[in-house]
Amino acid sequence: MRTTNGRGGLFSGTGLIVAGLTATLIALIFPIWSYADRSGTGVSVLNASTVTTQYGPLSGLDREFITKVRLAGLWELPAGQQAQTKGTTEAVRTAGDHLIEGHTFLDARVRNVAARLSLPLPNQPTDQQRAWLDRLTAAQGEEYDREFANILRLAHGKVFSVVAQVRATTRNSLVRDLADDANTTVLDHIKVLEATGLVDYDAIARDAASASAPPITNSPAPPGPLIDPGSPIPVTPSPTPPPPATSSPRYTLPPAANGPADG
Protein backbone atom coordinates (compact mmCIF):
# COMPACT_ATOMS: atom_id res chain seq x y z
CA MET A 1 0.00 0.00 0.00
CA ARG A 2 2.78 2.42 0.85
CA THR A 3 4.49 1.57 -2.47
CA THR A 4 1.33 2.24 -4.45
CA ASN A 5 0.72 5.54 -2.68
CA GLY A 6 4.33 6.57 -3.27
CA ARG A 7 4.06 5.97 -6.98
CA GLY A 8 0.76 7.82 -7.12
CA GLY A 9 2.31 10.75 -5.30
CA LEU A 10 5.29 10.67 -7.66
CA PHE A 11 3.09 10.68 -10.76
CA SER A 12 0.93 13.44 -9.29
CA GLY A 13 3.97 15.59 -8.59
CA THR A 14 5.38 14.97 -12.08
CA GLY A 15 2.01 15.87 -13.60
CA LEU A 16 1.95 19.16 -11.73
CA ILE A 17 5.43 20.02 -12.93
CA VAL A 18 4.58 19.18 -16.54
CA ALA A 19 1.36 21.18 -16.32
CA GLY A 20 3.22 24.13 -14.87
CA LEU A 21 5.85 24.06 -17.61
CA THR A 22 3.13 23.80 -20.27
CA ALA A 23 1.26 26.79 -18.82
CA THR A 24 4.47 28.81 -18.73
CA LEU A 25 5.24 27.96 -22.36
CA ILE A 26 1.74 28.96 -23.43
CA ALA A 27 2.06 32.23 -21.53
CA LEU A 28 5.32 32.99 -23.34
CA ILE A 29 4.01 32.06 -26.78
CA PHE A 30 0.57 33.69 -26.57
CA PRO A 31 1.67 37.33 -26.27
CA ILE A 32 3.99 36.92 -29.25
CA TRP A 33 1.26 35.32 -31.34
CA SER A 34 -1.41 37.78 -30.26
CA TYR A 35 0.79 40.83 -30.88
CA ALA A 36 1.89 39.69 -34.31
CA ASP A 37 -1.73 39.01 -35.24
CA ARG A 38 -3.08 42.34 -34.02
CA SER A 39 -4.14 44.77 -36.69
CA GLY A 40 -3.01 48.34 -36.11
CA THR A 41 0.57 47.60 -35.13
CA GLY A 42 3.92 47.81 -36.85
CA VAL A 43 4.14 46.75 -40.45
CA SER A 44 0.40 46.07 -40.65
CA VAL A 45 -0.29 49.77 -40.05
CA LEU A 46 2.15 50.78 -42.76
CA ASN A 47 0.68 48.37 -45.27
CA ALA A 48 -2.94 49.16 -44.41
CA SER A 49 -2.52 52.93 -44.74
CA THR A 50 -0.21 53.01 -47.76
CA VAL A 51 -1.47 53.56 -51.30
CA THR A 52 0.31 53.37 -54.62
CA THR A 53 1.02 56.54 -56.63
CA GLN A 54 3.14 57.25 -59.70
CA TYR A 55 5.67 58.92 -57.37
CA GLY A 56 6.02 55.89 -55.09
CA PRO A 57 4.07 54.49 -52.13
CA LEU A 58 2.24 57.13 -50.08
CA SER A 59 1.88 56.22 -46.41
CA GLY A 60 -0.44 57.56 -43.73
CA LEU A 61 2.55 59.35 -42.17
CA ASP A 62 3.30 60.97 -45.54
CA ARG A 63 -0.26 62.30 -45.75
CA GLU A 64 -0.12 63.47 -42.15
CA PHE A 65 3.10 65.35 -42.90
CA ILE A 66 1.59 67.08 -45.94
CA THR A 67 -1.35 68.19 -43.78
CA LYS A 68 0.97 69.48 -41.04
CA VAL A 69 2.98 71.57 -43.51
CA ARG A 70 -0.22 73.20 -44.70
CA LEU A 71 -1.49 73.78 -41.14
CA ALA A 72 1.81 75.35 -40.09
CA GLY A 73 1.48 78.03 -42.75
CA LEU A 74 -2.11 78.79 -41.80
CA TRP A 75 -1.06 80.16 -38.40
CA GLU A 76 2.68 80.86 -38.57
CA LEU A 77 2.45 83.24 -41.50
CA PRO A 78 -0.13 85.44 -39.69
CA ALA A 79 2.05 85.20 -36.57
CA GLY A 80 5.01 86.45 -38.60
CA GLN A 81 3.00 89.39 -39.90
CA GLN A 82 1.90 90.23 -36.38
CA ALA A 83 5.51 90.17 -35.16
CA GLN A 84 6.47 92.78 -37.73
CA THR A 85 4.08 95.28 -36.17
CA LYS A 86 4.01 94.19 -32.49
CA GLY A 87 7.62 93.11 -31.98
CA THR A 88 9.61 95.58 -29.89
CA THR A 89 13.06 94.47 -31.11
CA GLU A 90 14.63 94.18 -34.52
CA ALA A 91 15.39 90.51 -33.85
CA VAL A 92 11.72 89.68 -33.27
CA ARG A 93 10.65 91.59 -36.36
CA THR A 94 13.33 89.80 -38.40
CA ALA A 95 12.05 86.43 -37.14
CA GLY A 96 8.57 87.47 -38.23
CA ASP A 97 9.94 88.32 -41.67
CA HIS A 98 11.46 84.85 -41.97
CA LEU A 99 8.15 83.22 -41.03
CA ILE A 100 6.39 85.14 -43.80
CA GLU A 101 9.02 84.28 -46.40
CA GLY A 102 9.30 80.65 -45.35
CA HIS A 103 5.62 79.80 -45.20
CA THR A 104 4.73 81.68 -48.37
CA PHE A 105 7.33 79.47 -50.05
CA LEU A 106 6.31 76.22 -48.32
CA ASP A 107 2.59 76.78 -48.84
CA ALA A 108 3.06 77.04 -52.59
CA ARG A 109 5.10 73.83 -52.47
CA VAL A 110 2.62 71.86 -50.37
CA ARG A 111 -0.36 72.91 -52.49
CA ASN A 112 1.48 71.73 -55.59
CA VAL A 113 2.35 68.38 -54.00
CA ALA A 114 -1.19 67.85 -52.69
CA ALA A 115 -2.69 68.62 -56.11
CA ARG A 116 -0.39 66.11 -57.82
CA LEU A 117 -1.33 63.45 -55.26
CA SER A 118 -5.06 64.31 -55.29
CA LEU A 119 -5.08 65.09 -51.55
CA PRO A 120 -7.39 67.64 -49.91
CA LEU A 121 -5.87 70.29 -47.62
CA PRO A 122 -7.37 72.24 -44.70
CA ASN A 123 -8.10 75.95 -45.03
CA GLN A 124 -8.25 76.73 -41.29
CA PRO A 125 -5.69 76.21 -38.49
CA THR A 126 -6.41 73.81 -35.65
CA ASP A 127 -8.00 74.87 -32.35
CA GLN A 128 -4.60 74.76 -30.64
CA GLN A 129 -3.04 76.93 -33.34
CA ARG A 130 -5.86 79.46 -33.05
CA ALA A 131 -5.34 79.49 -29.28
CA TRP A 132 -1.64 80.29 -29.82
CA LEU A 133 -2.58 83.18 -32.12
CA ASP A 134 -5.04 84.44 -29.50
CA ARG A 135 -2.28 84.44 -26.86
CA LEU A 136 -0.03 86.44 -29.14
CA THR A 137 -2.82 88.88 -29.95
CA ALA A 138 -3.48 89.49 -26.25
CA ALA A 139 0.19 90.02 -25.34
CA GLN A 140 1.85 93.43 -25.54
CA GLY A 141 5.34 94.87 -25.35
CA GLU A 142 8.15 92.69 -23.99
CA GLU A 143 5.62 90.05 -22.97
CA TYR A 144 4.65 89.73 -26.62
CA ASP A 145 8.29 89.29 -27.65
CA ARG A 146 8.77 86.45 -25.14
CA GLU A 147 5.49 84.75 -26.04
CA PHE A 148 6.25 84.97 -29.75
CA ALA A 149 9.78 83.56 -29.45
CA ASN A 150 8.83 80.69 -27.15
CA ILE A 151 5.51 79.60 -28.67
CA LEU A 152 6.97 79.54 -32.17
CA ARG A 153 10.23 77.92 -31.08
CA LEU A 154 8.37 75.16 -29.22
CA ALA A 155 6.11 74.49 -32.21
CA HIS A 156 9.03 74.39 -34.65
CA GLY A 157 10.98 72.03 -32.42
CA LYS A 158 8.13 69.54 -32.42
CA VAL A 159 7.60 69.63 -36.17
CA PHE A 160 11.35 69.34 -36.77
CA SER A 161 11.35 65.76 -35.47
CA VAL A 162 8.36 64.89 -37.68
CA VAL A 163 10.16 66.24 -40.75
CA ALA A 164 13.21 64.13 -39.92
CA GLN A 165 11.12 60.97 -39.49
CA VAL A 166 9.32 61.50 -42.80
CA ARG A 167 12.54 62.32 -44.65
CA ALA A 168 14.16 59.16 -43.29
CA THR A 169 11.31 56.77 -44.09
CA THR A 170 9.18 58.03 -46.99
CA ARG A 171 9.18 56.07 -50.24
CA ASN A 172 7.41 58.84 -52.16
CA SER A 173 9.62 61.17 -54.22
CA LEU A 174 7.28 64.17 -53.94
CA VAL A 175 7.10 63.84 -50.16
CA ARG A 176 10.87 63.41 -49.98
CA ASP A 177 11.48 66.69 -51.82
CA LEU A 178 8.87 68.48 -49.71
CA ALA A 179 10.58 67.19 -46.56
CA ASP A 180 13.89 68.60 -47.82
CA ASP A 181 12.33 72.04 -48.26
CA ALA A 182 10.49 71.83 -44.94
CA ASN A 183 13.70 70.85 -43.16
CA THR A 184 15.55 73.88 -44.58
CA THR A 185 12.71 76.24 -43.70
CA VAL A 186 12.04 74.92 -40.20
CA LEU A 187 15.73 74.97 -39.27
CA ASP A 188 16.00 78.55 -40.51
CA HIS A 189 13.01 79.55 -38.37
CA ILE A 190 14.45 77.81 -35.31
CA LYS A 191 17.70 79.75 -35.73
CA VAL A 192 16.11 83.17 -36.13
CA LEU A 193 13.78 82.57 -33.17
CA GLU A 194 16.75 81.58 -31.02
CA ALA A 195 18.60 84.69 -32.25
CA THR A 196 16.04 86.83 -30.40
CA GLY A 197 17.74 85.80 -27.14
CA LEU A 198 14.33 85.14 -25.58
CA VAL A 199 13.98 81.37 -25.92
CA ASP A 200 13.57 79.50 -22.62
CA TYR A 201 15.53 76.31 -23.31
CA ASP A 202 14.80 74.87 -19.86
CA ALA A 203 11.05 75.11 -20.54
CA ILE A 204 11.50 73.42 -23.91
CA ALA A 205 13.49 70.60 -22.32
CA ARG A 206 10.85 70.13 -19.61
CA ASP A 207 8.09 70.04 -22.20
CA ALA A 208 9.98 67.44 -24.25
CA ALA A 209 10.62 65.31 -21.17
CA SER A 210 7.03 65.38 -19.93
CA ALA A 211 5.12 65.26 -23.20
CA SER A 212 3.68 62.02 -24.42
CA ALA A 213 3.80 61.06 -28.07
CA PRO A 214 2.23 63.86 -30.13
CA PRO A 215 -1.29 63.11 -31.35
CA ILE A 216 -1.50 62.07 -34.95
CA THR A 217 -3.28 64.55 -37.16
CA ASN A 218 -6.09 62.92 -39.10
CA SER A 219 -4.43 62.51 -42.47
CA PRO A 220 -6.35 62.99 -45.70
CA ALA A 221 -8.00 59.96 -47.22
CA PRO A 222 -5.87 58.04 -49.73
CA PRO A 223 -5.97 59.55 -53.21
CA GLY A 224 -8.04 58.02 -55.95
CA PRO A 225 -9.32 58.79 -59.42
CA LEU A 226 -12.70 59.97 -58.10
CA ILE A 227 -11.34 62.27 -55.39
CA ASP A 228 -11.50 66.00 -56.05
CA PRO A 229 -9.20 67.62 -53.51
CA GLY A 230 -10.56 71.08 -54.29
CA SER A 231 -8.46 74.19 -54.42
CA PRO A 232 -6.85 75.18 -51.12
CA ILE A 233 -6.69 78.91 -50.61
CA PRO A 234 -3.08 80.13 -50.97
CA VAL A 235 -1.44 81.40 -47.80
CA THR A 236 -0.18 84.88 -48.66
CA PRO A 237 0.78 87.89 -46.58
CA SER A 238 -1.75 90.69 -46.42
CA PRO A 239 -0.65 94.06 -47.82
CA THR A 240 1.68 95.91 -45.47
CA PRO A 241 3.34 99.32 -45.74
CA PRO A 242 6.91 99.28 -47.05
CA PRO A 243 9.51 98.62 -44.33
CA PRO A 244 11.51 101.55 -42.95
CA ALA A 245 14.88 102.30 -44.48
CA THR A 246 16.66 100.86 -41.44
CA SER A 247 14.95 97.47 -41.74
CA SER A 248 17.17 94.42 -42.22
CA PRO A 249 17.34 92.88 -45.71
CA ARG A 250 14.61 90.39 -46.49
CA TYR A 251 15.64 86.77 -46.27
CA THR A 252 15.21 84.61 -49.36
CA LEU A 253 14.80 80.88 -48.94
CA PRO A 254 16.62 78.50 -51.28
CA PRO A 255 14.71 77.26 -54.32
CA ALA A 256 12.49 74.23 -54.05
CA ALA A 257 14.01 70.82 -54.53
CA ASN A 258 13.73 69.48 -58.05
CA GLY A 259 10.76 67.14 -58.06
CA PRO A 260 9.98 64.51 -60.68
CA ALA A 261 8.28 65.64 -63.83
CA ASP A 262 4.53 65.14 -64.17
CA GLY A 263 3.31 62.15 -66.07
Side-chain angles (χ1 to χ4, degrees):
M1 294 295 294
R2 285 194 297 270
T3 302
T4 302
N5 289 338
R7 289 178 179 174
L10 176 61
F11 291 145
S12 297
T14 303
L16 288 174
I17 293 173
V18 171
L21 290 174
T22 302
T24 301
L25 183 61
I26 292 173
L28 289 173
I29 294 174
F30 178 76
I32 298 173
W33 167 81
S34 62
Y35 183 83
D37 191 57
R38 286 169 56 195
S39 61
T41 59
V43 176
S44 62
V45 169
L46 178 66
N47 293 336
S49 63
T50 298
V51 296
T52 301
T53 78
Q54 62 178 307
Y55 307 104
L58 184 72
S59 70
L61 179 61
D62 293 337
R63 299 195 296 277
E64 178 189 349
F65 165 68
I66 292 169
T67 301
K68 283 182 180 292
V69 172
R70 169 66 173 178
L71 285 169
L74 292 174
W75 82 277
E76 290 180 24
L77 190 148
Q81 284 198 283
Q82 190 182 67
Q84 289 187 317
T85 58
K86 294 186 67 174
T88 67
T89 69
E90 183 65 21
V92 170
R93 292 190 291 270
T94 297
D97 196 46
H98 280 233
L99 291 181
I100 295 172
E101 291 283 344
H103 285 292
T104 300
F105 162 73
L106 268 188
D107 189 69
R109 289 281 290 114
V110 75
R111 286 185 289 108
N112 176 270
V113 168
R116 294 165 76 177
L117 293 173
S118 298
L119 294 177
L121 291 176
N123 279 318
Q124 295 296 328
T126 66
D127 291 342
Q128 183 185 51
Q129 291 167 341
R130 284 194 289 267
W132 284 335
L133 284 173
D134 289 342
R135 280 177 59 183
L136 294 176
T137 299
Q140 301 295 331
E142 293 181 0
E143 179 192 6
Y144 172 83
D145 293 342
R146 287 192 300 273
E147 289 274 40
F148 171 81
N150 284 283
I151 290 175
L152 270 299
R153 173 58 180 81
L154 182 64
H156 279 81
K158 290 181 177 180
V159 77
F160 199 42
S161 61
V162 175
V163 175
Q165 181 183 4
V166 170
R167 182 60 181 83
T169 61
T170 186
R171 294 173 287 168
N172 187 281
S173 58
L174 289 183
V175 174
R176 191 176 302 119
D177 286 347
L178 180 62
D180 283 341
D181 292 331
N183 182 74
T184 300
T185 304
V186 172
L187 182 57
D188 169 73
H189 292 176
I190 286 175
K191 288 180 176 179
V192 293
L193 289 164
E194 292 174 348
T196 63
L198 300 171
V199 173
D200 186 344
Y201 294 102
D202 289 338
I204 291 175
R206 287 192 299 270
D207 179 85
S210 62
S212 58
I216 296 179
T217 303
N218 291 329
S219 59
L226 301 180
I227 293 179
D228 179 7
S231 299
I233 302 169
V235 171
T236 56
S238 58
T240 57
T246 58
S247 176
S248 60
R250 293 181 67 81
Y251 177 82
T252 303
L253 284 168
N258 293 323
D262 287 312

